[in-house]
């Protein structure tokens, strides 16, 4: 065994398990406990002095293997501490500063000043950095409001705005990084060709790298990109550790430019490169000697360059203007999120991101401002607009600028390629786009997402086919601006939601800064390129819709829920029940459900007649709280929410624990709803001895026109939540108690609907069969036929609900509203009564067919005493006991006119005040509606219709 292997074995074997995992985290149901185990000196060689070569060996192991004791976790065999080891300077400041310098510092600053002039260039710089600084404030606020994981800006946006917006904006941000990587590589290749291509600075005439076509440029870009791939495959941490050194090189090169401008104070003719086809057009490149002038710092030069003078770009041939020049400027200063993109490798992202980003933005702004003013005051406009690399010819030592160009562009390209891979990995880990991004989650032992790097590398390779730096710049700027707009939107939403848990430690922001940055980003997007912006927004909208319909089961928390809560609370306070008016009345229904397995058709029917009103499913669980260790409602409440989702209805759920159904109903009637949104109608199923049927099983299959019948994916889950129906199950209340429910609801001033036979309702049959069905309304108390000539609130309520049902799209095309007019042909003026009813319906704006029914054969059941007692209809709402023959005859009359009836509405009289008549009342209701189509018996208390504007 050699010294190296013996060292490894001794050091690892002599270490106790407590030293290997001295800060292991164990999770329980209620807390997170840190288990710290003290090291025992007698069992460890940790305090023994190391030989010099052993120290170096441990350093090498920490760099290449990540197997030091303090970072090794034997349970996962990964190096978690090794992955998170970057501080604010190396992990944030250096990447952000290098990203901000990028192409612009040495390649495009002069071009921007030459085209826009000093004033406009500074104005553009201020606009760009105002947007950047305000966005940085939002980034700092979000990043200091909790632990930031890998994925950087995508992680912050997705966890703030939810998976729909987070996923779509994360995709745009990924595209922006891919475009930026291609942009910086194009700048790197441009620097190579300007210096080492035909006519380059460092080649003799006729020599240089081949540059005969765009494919040569693509080849050089491919080679550079492959080098970036190798660096990223080795690991982003390697680049991060060297970024500070690269930044130092760039700063030295920048200082050399500034010093040179002050040191060289005489005129220097700078030859325009022969690749400038605009300048050399019509001239022979071998005899022409066209130059631009470096004058040193001169007042005249400064004045000449003060204002804009837009011309053609000699590289693309496009005419420049404010928007295109700003796009070139802004595309090169989009590195403010480079530090956030490295969040997964920072020791303390919440502290490092704000400090490093703000410092880097301030540093780069001052650098750009100084260099812009110095260049504008020392170089002629002709030189600035016709030579991208003029700085190296006016430098004390030209290679300084060449080194600066290569260092700035290559480091920026690496930063964006690494950032893109981290975003893609985060998208894959979150599984937002199904399994399509699953390969991007593959990582090396050190946690480097090598597959995400390879995918990003391939996409950058495609973007490089565009070629020109200036051609890629507008799209890059637009995608980054939209990403920054999303960050500001996320911070604005968090601020406006006023969530108690949004308390970032960074306090230097308000919703004003978020709005200003958001507006600035969107305005500049459309100013740079309305086409690219529109395309990006359409893509984002499509992704939002796609992810929304996917119904992602994430536990991130969505800002939309916080904003909805905030707005709903505000508007509920504004919804004053004292200002309610009958013109704007709508049904707000509490449906009492004992077992949803036998009530699915009724639940769906009530969802149709709610007319955008409040709809509450109520359930009473019989029991006492002291009989349970905890509230049993908390366990079953999610089951009912799953039922609501499964049936695709728009309803709330209210469940209470009570000693009896009657007491529980009173609880629900009083506490359901909130503020001005309280139930005004209570719906009950009918109390009979019919054999219950399982209607939940009917929802197992979902009908589709194109794909045929498919199983409803949510059925299995809901089916397991509710017990199967058993015929021997005892009823939870008696007939007496049931009538008492109706009486209690009326005492509580709620309208009452009694629904029966809804297990026979088949909406699919109604919609698919030929011919029209009817919604029937019998606006007469059939237990008091002598009141048939009168209308009261109950009759109006019946008409209103029937009209609402007929307005529902699924019912409107296949049903007709039909109102029955019961007359005595011997004594009543049929035509006059029909005209009165028709005029009344017209005033109510109810389109209905009037069906005249003669009940002459029932007149012998109506006594003269009844006619005398209720000659004015004042007792119309009351129950009156009638003979069984009369009820049977009425039932047969209804059946004879219901061959094409979908739903019937009947008058429900008030329960008798004498409780001894409750059984008679219930038996009469049973006899009236037996063997009928789905029926709703209604008693209304309040006006619900209006004939005025």
């Amino acid at each position: 065994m050699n010294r190296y292997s013996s060292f490894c074995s001794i050091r690892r074997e002599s270490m106790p398990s407590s030293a290997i995992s001295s800060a292991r985290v164990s999770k329980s149901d209620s807390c997170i406990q840190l288990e710290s185990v003290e090291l025992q000196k007698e069992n460890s060689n940790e305090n023994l002095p190391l030989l010099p070569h052993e120290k170096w060996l441990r350093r090498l192991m920490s760099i290449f293997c990540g197997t030091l004791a303090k970072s090794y976790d034997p349970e996962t065999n990964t190096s978690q501490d090794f992955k998170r080891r970057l501080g604010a300077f190396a992990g944030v400041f250096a990447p952000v500063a290098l990203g901000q310098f990028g192409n612009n510092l040495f390649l495009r600053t002069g071009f921007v000043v030459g085209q826009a002039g000093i004033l406009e260039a500074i104005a553009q710089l201020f606009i760009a950095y105002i947007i950047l600084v305000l966005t940085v404030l939002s980034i700092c606020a979000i990043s200091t409001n909790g632990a930031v994981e890998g994925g950087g800006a995508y992680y912050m946006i997705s966890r703030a705005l939810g998976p729909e917006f987070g996923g779509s904006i994360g995709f745009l941000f990924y595209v922006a990084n891919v475009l930026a990587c291609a942009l910086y590589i194009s700048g790197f290749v441009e620097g190579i060709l300007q210096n080492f291509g035909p006519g380059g600075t460092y080649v003799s005439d006729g020599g240089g790298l081949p540059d005969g076509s765009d494919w040569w440029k693509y080849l050089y870009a491919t080679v550079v990109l492959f080098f970036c791939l190798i660096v990223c495959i080795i690991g982003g941490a390697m680049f991060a550790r060297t970024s500070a050194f690269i930044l130092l090189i760039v700063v030295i090169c920048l200082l050399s430019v500034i010093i040179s401008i002050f040191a060289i104070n005489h005129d220097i003719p700078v030859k325009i490169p022969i690749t400038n086809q605009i300048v050399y057009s019509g001239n022979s490149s071998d005899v022409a000697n066209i130059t631009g002038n470096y004058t040193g710092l001169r007042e005249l030069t400064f004045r000449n360059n003060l204002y804009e003078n837009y011309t053609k770009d000699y590289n693309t041939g496009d005419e420049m203007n404010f928007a295109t020049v700003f796009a070139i400027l802004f595309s090169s200063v989009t590195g403010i999120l480079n530090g956030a993109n490295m969040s997964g490798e920072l020791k303390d992202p919440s502290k490092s991101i704000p400090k490093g980003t703000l410092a880097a933005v301030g540093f780069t702004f001052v650098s750009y401002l100084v260099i812009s003013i110095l260049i504008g005051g020392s170089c002629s406009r002709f030189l600035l607009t016709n030579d991208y690399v003029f700085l190296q010819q006016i430098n004390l030592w030209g290679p300084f600028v060449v080194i600066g160009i290569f260092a700035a562009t290559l480091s920026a390209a690496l930063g964006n390629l690494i950032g893109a891979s981290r975003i893609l990995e985060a998208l894959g880990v979150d599984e937002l786009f199904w399994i399509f991004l699953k390969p991007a989650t593959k990582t090396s032992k050190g946690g480097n997402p090598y597959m995400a790097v390879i995918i990003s590398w391939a996409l950058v390779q495609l973007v490089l086919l565009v070629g020109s730096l200036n051609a890629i710049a507008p799209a890059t700027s637009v995608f980054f601006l939209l990403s920054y707009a999303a960050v500001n939107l996320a911070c604005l939403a968090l601020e406006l939601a006023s969530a108690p848990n949004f308390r970032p430690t960074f306090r230097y922001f308000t919703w004003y800064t978020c709005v200003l940055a958001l507006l600035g980003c969107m305005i500049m997007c459309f100013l740079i390129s309305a086409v690219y912006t529109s395309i990006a927004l359409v893509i984002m909208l499509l992704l939002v819709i796609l992810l929304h319909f996917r119904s992602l089961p994430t536990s991130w928390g969505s800002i939309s829920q916080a904003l909805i809560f905030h707005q709903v609370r505000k508007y509920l306070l504004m919804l004053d029940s004292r200002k309610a008016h009958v013109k704007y009345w709508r049904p707000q229904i509490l449906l009492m459900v004992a077992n949803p397995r036998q009530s699915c058709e009724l639940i769906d029917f009530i969802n149709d007649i709610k007319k955008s009103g409040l709809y509450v499913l109520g359930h009473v669980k019989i029991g006492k709280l002291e009989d349970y260790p905890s509230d049993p409602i908390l366990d079953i409440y999610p089951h009912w929410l799953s039922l609501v989702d499964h049936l695709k209805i728009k309803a709330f759920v209210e469940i209470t624990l009570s000693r009896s159904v009657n007491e529980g109903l009173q609880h629900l009637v009083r506490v359901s709803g909130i503020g001005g949104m309280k139930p005004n109608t209570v719906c009950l199923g009918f109390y009979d001895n019919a054999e219950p049927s399982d209607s939940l099983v009917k929802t197992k299959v979902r009908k589709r026109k194109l794909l045929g019948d498919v199983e409803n994916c949510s059925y299995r889950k809901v089916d397991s939540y509710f017990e199967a129906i058993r015929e021997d199950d005892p009823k939870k209340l008696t007939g007496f108690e049931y009538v008492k429910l109706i009486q209690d609801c009326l005492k509580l001033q709620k309208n009452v609907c009694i629904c029966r036979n809804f297990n026979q309702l088949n909406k699919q049959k109604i919609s698919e069969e030929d011919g029209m069905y009817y919604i029937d309304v019998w606006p007469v108390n059939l237990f008091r036929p002598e009141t048939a000539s009168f209308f009261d609130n109950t009759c109006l309520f019946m008409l209103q609900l029937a009209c609402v049902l007929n307005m529902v799209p699924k019912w409107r095309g296949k049903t007709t509203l039909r109102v029955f007019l019961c007359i005595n042909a011997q004594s009543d003026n049929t035509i006059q009564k029909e005209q009165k009813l028709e005029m009344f319906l017209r005033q109510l704006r109810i389109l209905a067919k009037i069906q005249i029914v003669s009940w002459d054969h029932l007149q012998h059941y109506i006594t003269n005493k009844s006619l005398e007692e209720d000659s004015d209809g004042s007792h119309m709402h009351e129950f009156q006991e009638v003979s069984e023959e009369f009820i049977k005859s009425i039932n047969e009359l209804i059946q004879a006119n219901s061959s094409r009836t979908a739903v019937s509405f009947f008058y429900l009289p008030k329960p008798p005040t004498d409780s001894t008549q409750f059984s008679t009342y219930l038996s009469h209701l049973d006899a009236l509606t037996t063997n009928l189509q789905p029926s709703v018996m209604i008693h209304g208390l309040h006006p619900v219709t209006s004939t005025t504007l």
Side-chain angles (χ1 to χ4, degrees), residues 548-574:
H548 174 75
F549 282 108
R550 196 190 166 195
S551 300
L552 297 161
T554 59
S555 57
W556 305 343
S558 177
I559 190 62
S560 60
Q561 294 298 307
L563 290 173
I564 290 170
F565 178 88
H566 184 74
Q567 293 301 109
V568 167
R569 181 194 64 85
K570 182 173 70 174
Y571 286 116
L572 277 174
L573 291 172
M574 297 171 62

Side-chain angles (χ1 to χ4, degrees), residues 481-557:
L481 279 167
L482 286 177
S483 301
Y484 296 162
V487 173
N488 289 295
L489 178 63
C491 188
L492 176 64
L494 289 169
E495 179 71 6
L496 293 181
S498 301
N501 283 320
F502 182 63
R503 43 180 186 271
T505 56
F506 183 85
R507 304 300 303 169
Y508 302 102
F509 79 101
T510 65
W511 69 270
Y512 302 104
T513 62
C514 301
V515 170
L516 287 175
L518 177 61
L519 292 176
C521 289
M522 296 308 300
I523 291 171
M524 295 314 300
C525 273
F526 283 98
L527 184 63
I528 290 170
S529 176
V531 175
Y532 286 140
T533 304
S534 301
I535 292 173
L537 290 175
V538 168
I539 293 173
M540 184 179 73
L541 181 61
L542 291 176
L543 289 175
V544 168
I545 295 172
L546 176 68
L547 294 174
H548 174 75
F549 282 108
R550 196 190 166 195
S551 300
L552 297 161
T554 59
S555 57
W556 305 343

Side-chain angles (χ1 to χ4, degrees), residues 781 784-795 865-880 907 909-910 939-941:
N781 185 350
R784 285 186 175 271
E786 68 275 6
T787 63
S789 299
F790 301 99
F791 261 65
D792 64 357
N793 284 334
T794 296
C795 298
K865 181 179 178 182
S866 299
L867 293 172
E868 292 174 1
E869 287 180 353
D870 203 8
S871 58
D872 58 354
S874 59
H875 300 284
M876 183 177 181
H877 61 281
E878 296 177 356
F879 170 74
Q880 177 179 271
Y907 194 112
K910 291 179 63 175
H939 190 93
L941 297 177

Side-chain angles (χ1 to χ4, degrees), residues 575-586 943-949:
L575 185 63
D576 192 345
S577 59
R578 296 169 296 181
K579 298 179 181 179
H581 195 279
V582 67
K583 288 191 297 183
Y584 307 110
W585 179 92
R586 65 180 71 239
V944 295
T945 59
S946 174
T947 59
T948 60
L949 289 175

